[in-house]
Amino acid sequence: GAVVSQHPSRVICKSGTSVKIECRSLDFQATTMFWYRQFPKQSLMLMATSNEGSKATYEQGVEKDKFLINHASLTLSTLTVTSAHPEDSSFYICSARPRGRGTYNEQFFGPGTRLTVL
Amino acid sequence: GENVEQHPSTLSVQEGDSAVIKCTYSDSASNYFPWYKQELGKRPQLIIDIRSNVGEKKDQRIAVTLNKTAKHFSLHITETQPEDSAVYFCAPQDLDTGRRALTFGSGTRLQVQP
């Protein structure tokens, strides 16, 4: 149980285009999902917290108009990188926290999406 | 916010030796202390965690020890094997705040030499 998928696993796009990444919890409901970005040989940095049915909360320095997050259901959150540029090339990972776990905070990560912007 | 540091940043050991990674945090209210393992190009996976009311927890070859007074906790791996080679991240948290996003340490790259 507690499986999180991401699609696509890899994407290469041209500068200026938009890319959508999906994060799904396959066997549980998640009221909250998180989006992280990881540059090579670096740690995971939180970009935003995605809440089902409400607006995402972005971390300082993350442009909400550039990284659009939609959490339309209890099992799906999407991250759209708009007008992508080479500096957006990174490994994007989502995580989901199962609903109803109280204060316990085990999170389950997706396999990540490697974005390359040419 | 939480300021998290990990040491060492890289660690190379011979197979069968022990490895210890230390995580120092700043928020004295932190009460949950997990360790994640991330293999190259893969997702992070929780390998062990501890709550603040416990000083040590062990699960086979891995253990976590906590020193709340000094604000640090450590990951111990005994009888290391090549498959332990990965990057390890700590992510201390205060579960009482309601904030559920993880603040990861900078990571420790462990290389186990056969």
Side-chain angles (χ1 to χ4, degrees):
Chain A
V3 177
V4 177
S5 71
Q6 269 183 252
H7 178 81
S9 58
R10 289 178 180 270
V11 57
I12 299 173
C13 69
K14 292 182 178 179
S15 188
T17 60
S18 294
V19 173
K20 180 187 280 189
I21 303 170
E22 293 186 349
C23 177
R24 290 182 188 273
S25 55
L26 298 185
D27 50 3
F28 65 95
Q29 293 182 332
T31 51
T32 307
M33 292 183 173
F34 305 94
W35 288 97
Y36 297 85
R37 180 166 53 183
Q38 186 176 33
F39 292 107
K41 297 188 178 182
Q42 293 189 23
S43 188
L44 289 86
M45 299 300 294
L46 178 70
M47 298 176 66
T49 300
S50 171
N51 299 298
E52 187 267 336
S54 64
K55 290 183 179 180
T57 305
Y58 290 82
E59 294 299 295
Q60 193 171 11
V62 178
E63 300 174 56
K64 62 179 181 181
D65 294 331
K66 180 170 181 63
F67 298 100
L68 301 178
I69 291 172
N70 185 282
H71 193 152
S73 77
L74 288 171
T75 59
L76 173 64
S77 176
T78 61
L79 168 69
T80 301
V81 183
T82 62
S83 186
H85 288 95
E87 57 265 30
D88 298 323
S89 299
S90 187
F91 194 50
Y92 291 86
I93 308 179
C94 69
S95 73
R97 181 171 176 266
R99 184 186 189 192
R101 292 285 183 96
T103 57
Y104 189 55
N105 196 30
E106 183 174 7
Q107 297 180 18
F108 299 92
F109 286 84
T113 296
R114 186 161 301 282
L115 170 64
T116 302
V117 184
L118 302 177
Chain B
E2 182 82 272
N3 188 22
V4 182
E5 292 186 0
Q6 271 183 247
H7 293 282
S9 57
T10 59
L11 180 59
S12 182
V13 299
Q14 290 295 124
E15 184 176 358
D17 287 350
S18 295
V20 182
I21 303 169
K22 185 177 179 180
C23 180
T24 305
Y25 59 94
S26 61
D27 187 353
S28 57
S30 293
N31 50 26
Y32 175 62
F33 308 93
W35 283 98
Y36 286 83
K37 174 184 180 183
Q38 186 181 28
E39 297 178 27
L40 187 63
K42 297 191 176 180
R43 75 188 84 195
Q45 293 193 304
L46 178 70
I47 56 171
I48 196 165
D49 57 9
I50 197 170
R51 302 270 193 139
S52 61
N53 57 347
V54 177
E56 181 175 356
K57 182 178 177 181
K58 192 173 182 180
D59 182 3
Q60 299 183 334
R61 295 188 299 108
I62 60 173
V64 55
T65 57
L66 171 64
N67 186 328
K68 277 217 80 179
T69 303
K71 291 190 282 188
H72 63 73
F73 62 111
S74 297
L75 175 68
H76 304 255
I77 306 174
T78 58
E79 300 172 37
T80 54
Q81 301 169 2
E83 52 265 37
D84 295 329
S85 297
V87 180
Y88 292 82
F89 295 98
C90 61
Q93 287 185 275
D94 175 7
L95 295 180
D96 296 332
T97 63
R99 176 177 167 88
R100 295 292 179 257
L102 296 173
T103 300
F104 288 92
S106 53
T108 297
R109 187 173 300 274
L110 174 64
Q111 183 71 40
V112 180
Q113 307 289 344

